[in-house]
Amino acid sequence: MSFKTLFIVPGLVWAALCGAEPLGTLERFWRHHPVVDRWMAGGAGLQEIPEWLCDPALSFPYPKKDPPKEIPFCDHVTAVRLLGGWHPDWKNGEVRPGVPPAAYDLAWRDEAGIIRYRWELLAARLDPYVNAGCGLTLVLDNTPACFSPKPSWKSMGQAAPPADLDEWGAFIEELCRQLVERYGQARVNGWRFRLGTECQGDERFDGTQEQFHRFYAATACAVRRVLPDAPFGPFNLAGGFDGPDGTLSYLDLADFCVSNSLPLDFAAVSIYSAPSVSKGILRTTNPRFKARQKIEFWETLSGRHEPLRNIPREVQEFGILGNEFNDGYGEPGARGAAWTFDMMVTLLEGGMDRFWCWDVFDYIPHGRADYLLNGVGWLFCVLEHAAGGEASVLVPDAAARPVPEGLRTLAAFERGEPLRYSGGLFVKTLAVEHPDRIFLITSVYNEDRFVCTAQEIALTLPEAWVEKGAVIQQAALTRTNSVHWLVREALDAAGLLDPQFAAVPGLLGPVMQLGGPAARQHIGKNWPNYEVHMKDLLTLKPFDGAVTRKRDGVTLTFRAAPPSVSVIVIERRRRRL
C-alpha cells in the first residue's frame, strides 16, 4: 500500500473535503496465514471451499482459486516450528505413539557425534502448501535438540540456542540447498526466512542478548550464502520494544543488524487480546490502543536507522479476541468482526503492509464437510471485492439513539462485578473508490459487550460519488443476525447450550465450545437453514437510510448498534475521460 497517497476527486482535494485520510490503493494485505509444527505434514488449513460460498449470485462471492484445496483468504503461509524441537508431550498431528520427539527433528547426531539430516520430513511438511500455490515464510525456531548439550524444554518446545554455530550454519545452509533442489532456485529465492517466534521471553528463546545476536548473524549468513535475495528478519514482537529484565531487546538487535550490515527485511509483530475485568475496568478490549502500540514500535524502528526507514510493517500473528468470562475461544460473531476491522484500519493508518489471520471457518459435518463462516470471514468476503480501489479513512458523525427493541434484555444485564469505567465506543469507516462503485465499510464497537445503544451514523461524501439516481445498497453483520448468534439461539431452545454460555446473555463461541459434538450434530441436521442465512448475509439489499444533498456534498445517514459492521455500495456511472 502506498501510505497516505493523496488522490483527487473532481474539483476537490479529498483530504480537505471532510477530514478523510487517504491510504492509497487497497491491497489484499490480509491474505496470509500461519501454519504450525506437527500439523503441516497433513496440510493443516487446506480445505475445499464450500460451493455455496462461491455462488456468483452473491454480492460478495468467495474468489476461489484453481487448486482443489486452499487456505481460505490466503496466498502466503508462515511455516512455524518447521525444524522440529517439538514438545515431548505433543501426541497429535504428525506425532505417532511410541516415536520419540527427536525423531521429528530435521537434524540429529549419530553415535560418532556427527550431525545427520532427515530431509524426507521437510518435503512432507512443505509440499502441501507449495502444491497449493502458496508463498512461504520459513520460521527457524525450536532449534532441534541435537544442537544443544542442555536442551531447554518450554511450552512450545526446545528453546535453547545452538552451542556450535558452525554446525548450525552448516545445517541451515544445507536446508536451503535442499529447498532449491526440490522447488527451484527462482522460487525459493523469493521465499522469506524468520529467526524465532515471539522471542522476548525465555519461553521462546532461553539465552542472552549476545547469544541471540550471534545466532542471528550465523543464520542470516547461512541463508544468504545459498539464497542471496531471500528476505530475512527476526521474530515477531509480542510485547514492548524490550522484553522483561534479562530477555531480548528488539531495538538492540536492530542496532546490531545495521552496524554489522545484516539483513533486517521486515518488522513483524503479534497482536492477541485476552479481555478481563480488574478493579472494575475492562482490560485489553480497546482495539486502537493495541494497534497504536505496534505503530509506535514501527515508527521507532524506522526512525532509528536510515536503512530501516521503509522497512515493511507486518502483523504476522493476529489473535482471536477472547472474552472476559473465560468461556470459549474467540468472538465468531459481529463483535469479533467489528474489533478486527477497527484494529486493521487503524494499523493501515499506521502504514501496515501485511496481516496474518487465523481461521475463519467453523467445521460442521452433515453428511459432507461444511463450515459456518465467522464474522471475520464475512468481513474478508467484503474486502476481497473492495480491494483494488483507492482507500481512505472517513470520520463519521455518530449520535446516540435508543437501544433497539431486540437488545433491551441484553442491555439490562448486570455484571457480577460492576464496571467503574465501561470503556469506549469506536466507530470507523473505510471508503474505497472504484471507477464504477464506492464501498463504505463502517464498524461500530463498544468495549462493554452489554452496551447496546444504537448510533445514527452520518457519512459526508463528495457529490461525484452519489450522483442523482445512483443505486445504493447495503449489507450488515450485526449482533443478532450473525450465524453464530442463530446457532446459540437454536442450541438454547434445544437444551444443548453449555451452562457457562447460557449464564452470559449473547456470549458466543465456536460450536464445539457452545455445546460440544451434540451441538455440531444439531446444527448439521438443520444445515440448509444456516446456509441460506449465510448467503443472505453476503447479499446486498436496498439502502434503508437517508440521502441528503447539500452544497458541500451528500450525506448518507443510517443506524447501527454495537457490535456491527455495515457495508454500503454505491453504483456509479463510469467517469468520462
Side-chain angles (χ1 to χ4, degrees):
M1 172 165 292
S2 177
F3 182 48
K4 294 188 179 179
T5 302
L6 192 65
F7 63 95
I8 307 297
V9 297
L12 293 169
V13 177
W14 169 242
L17 177 67
C18 55
E21 180 180 7
L23 297 177
T25 303
L26 181 64
E27 308 290 353
R28 289 178 169 83
F29 62 86
W30 55 87
R31 294 192 65 88
H32 305 80
H33 192 281
V35 295
V36 297
D37 45 68
R38 59 209 185 274
W39 304 105
M40 284 186 276
L46 293 166
Q47 56 199 76
E48 294 183 14
I49 303 299
E51 290 183 12
W52 64 264
L53 188 57
C54 305
D55 186 345
L58 299 177
S59 303
F60 307 107
Y62 180 86
K64 192 178 184 309
K65 297 194 288 189
D66 289 335
K69 290 187 176 183
E70 60 183 281
I71 299 178
F73 304 104
C74 176
D75 299 320
H76 186 105
V77 298
T78 298
V80 182
R81 294 184 287 277
L82 170 72
L83 307 180
W86 298 346
H87 197 286
D89 291 343
W90 292 349
K91 305 297 183 186
N92 44 19
E94 188 178 338
V95 178
R96 295 290 179 263
V99 180
Y104 300 99
D105 292 354
L106 295 188
W108 58 285
R109 192 179 299 275
D110 67 14
E111 294 180 355
I114 298 171
I115 295 290
R116 306 292 186 183
Y117 306 128
R118 298 187 181 97
W119 301 126
E120 68 278 6
L121 299 179
L122 180 66
R125 293 170 192 173
L126 294 184
D127 278 0
Y129 305 104
V130 175
N131 293 340
C134 297
L136 292 176
T137 294
L138 305 184
V139 184
L140 310 176
D141 55 354
N142 278 30
T143 306
C146 65
F147 291 108
S148 176
K150 294 182 179 179
S152 177
W153 296 103
K154 302 289 185 175
S155 59
M156 290 295 173
Q158 206 291 106
D164 186 330
L165 291 176
D166 289 335
E167 278 186 336
W168 170 258
F171 165 58
I172 296 299
E173 192 171 337
E174 186 57 30
L175 166 68
C176 294
R177 290 197 185 97
Q178 291 291 322
L179 294 171
V180 167
E181 182 176 333
R182 184 167 187 84
Y183 303 112
Q185 177 78 23
R187 173 185 279 169
V188 179
N189 210 21
W191 289 352
R192 295 142 46 100
F193 293 79
R194 189 182 86 200
L195 185 63
T197 297
E198 300 175 352
C199 286
Q200 289 172 278
D202 61 9
E203 276 292 306
R204 300 298 187 94
F205 179 76
D206 196 0
T208 66
Q209 183 83 32
E210 184 180 355
Q211 281 179 303
F212 193 86
H213 288 178
R214 294 198 301 267
F215 185 29
Y216 190 93
T219 310
C221 291
V223 170
R224 287 291 175 86
R225 283 195 290 271
V226 181
L227 303 168
D229 299 322
F232 187 94
F235 55 89
N236 39 333
L237 184 90
F241 302 174
D242 299 335
D245 291 345
T247 57
L248 297 186
S249 163
Y250 199 111
L251 296 182
D252 286 355
L253 174 62
D255 295 344
F256 173 76
C257 290
V258 172
S259 61
N260 289 277
S261 299
L262 293 170
L264 202 167
D265 293 323
F266 46 80
V269 301
S270 291
I271 300 179
Y272 287 94
S273 185
S276 62
V277 179
S278 176
K279 298 180 180 179
I281 299 175
L282 282 164
R283 309 285 181 177
T284 72
T285 50
N286 182 333
R288 297 183 194 175
F289 177 78
K290 279 188 167 288
R292 287 167 181 158
Q293 277 186 323
K294 303 310 180 185
I295 293 168
E296 182 184 357
F297 161 67
W298 288 329
E299 291 292 329
T300 300
L301 186 65
S302 63
R304 194 173 179 92
H305 299 285
E306 180 61 31
L308 304 181
R309 185 166 302 281
N310 296 313
I311 188 169
R313 303 177 176 195
E314 302 182 355
V315 179
Q316 291 194 1
E317 288 185 45
F318 183 79
I320 314 301
L321 174 66
N323 66 69
E324 64 273 30
F325 299 97
N326 298 317
D327 291 331
Y329 179 68
E331 292 278 359
R335 184 171 173 82
W339 177 80
T340 298
F341 180 78
D342 194 289
M343 185 177 293
M344 284 196 311
V345 176
T346 303
L347 290 163
L348 282 178
E349 293 175 273
M352 178 184 68
D353 295 285
R354 295 187 179 193
F355 181 88
W356 276 247
C357 194
W358 292 98
D359 297 335
V360 298
F361 282 160
D362 193 350
Y363 173 65
I364 302 292
H366 62 101
R368 68 173 191 266
D370 223 318
Y371 306 90
L372 297 175
L373 184 69
N374 70 21
V376 174
W378 179 90
L379 173 61
F380 284 173
C381 280
V382 172
L383 288 173
E384 283 288 338
H385 291 266
E390 293 301 308
S392 53
V393 178
L394 307 189
V395 181
D397 290 327
R401 293 292 183 263
V403 173
E405 179 74 30
L407 295 176
R408 289 179 185 171
T409 300
L410 197 70
F413 181 76
E414 295 184 5
R415 293 177 177 272
E417 179 183 355
L419 298 181
R420 293 193 294 111
Y421 169 68
S422 62
L425 172 72
F426 300 88
V427 182
K428 179 87 78 172
T429 297
L430 181 71
V432 187
E433 180 187 15
H434 290 259
D436 57 348
R437 55 185 175 168
I438 310 293
F439 290 81
L440 303 169
I441 308 170
T442 301
S443 64
V444 182
Y445 169 84
N446 196 293
E447 290 183 78
D448 187 347
R449 68 178 62 249
F450 301 116
V451 172
C452 305
T453 306
Q455 301 295 315
E456 187 169 84
I457 311 296
L459 299 173
T460 300
L461 309 171
E463 188 175 1
W465 281 14
V466 195
E467 298 168 331
K468 290 184 179 180
V471 176
I472 307 176
Q473 296 179 291
Q474 66 181 17
L477 184 73
T478 71
R479 186 196 301 264
T480 57
N481 78 1
S482 79
V483 70
H484 281 83
W485 176 279
L486 269 62
V487 165
R488 177 196 160 104
E489 296 283 285
L491 296 179
D492 195 15
L496 296 173
L497 185 62
D498 182 275
Q500 289 183 297
F501 281 90
V504 183
L507 191 65
L508 301 181
V511 174
M512 282 294 288
Q513 298 283 340
L514 290 173
R520 270 186 174 172
Q521 293 172 7
H522 184 75
I523 302 308
K525 288 177 182 177
N526 298 281
W527 178 258
N529 297 332
Y530 298 102
E531 182 177 309
V532 168
H533 182 75
M534 288 185 289
K535 292 176 72 171
D536 187 65
L537 289 175
L538 292 167
T539 302
L540 289 164
K541 312 293 193 307
F543 179 59
D544 62 6
V547 181
T548 306
R549 296 186 179 276
K550 301 178 181 179
R551 183 173 298 178
D552 60 348
V554 180
T555 299
L556 302 188
T557 307
F558 62 98
R559 289 195 179 186
S564 65
V565 181
S566 304
V567 55
I568 297 170
V569 179
I570 305 169
E571 299 290 341
R572 62 197 302 218
R573 294 192 298 271
R574 291 186 179 274
R575 295 180 188 170
R576 294 184 179 90
L577 298 178

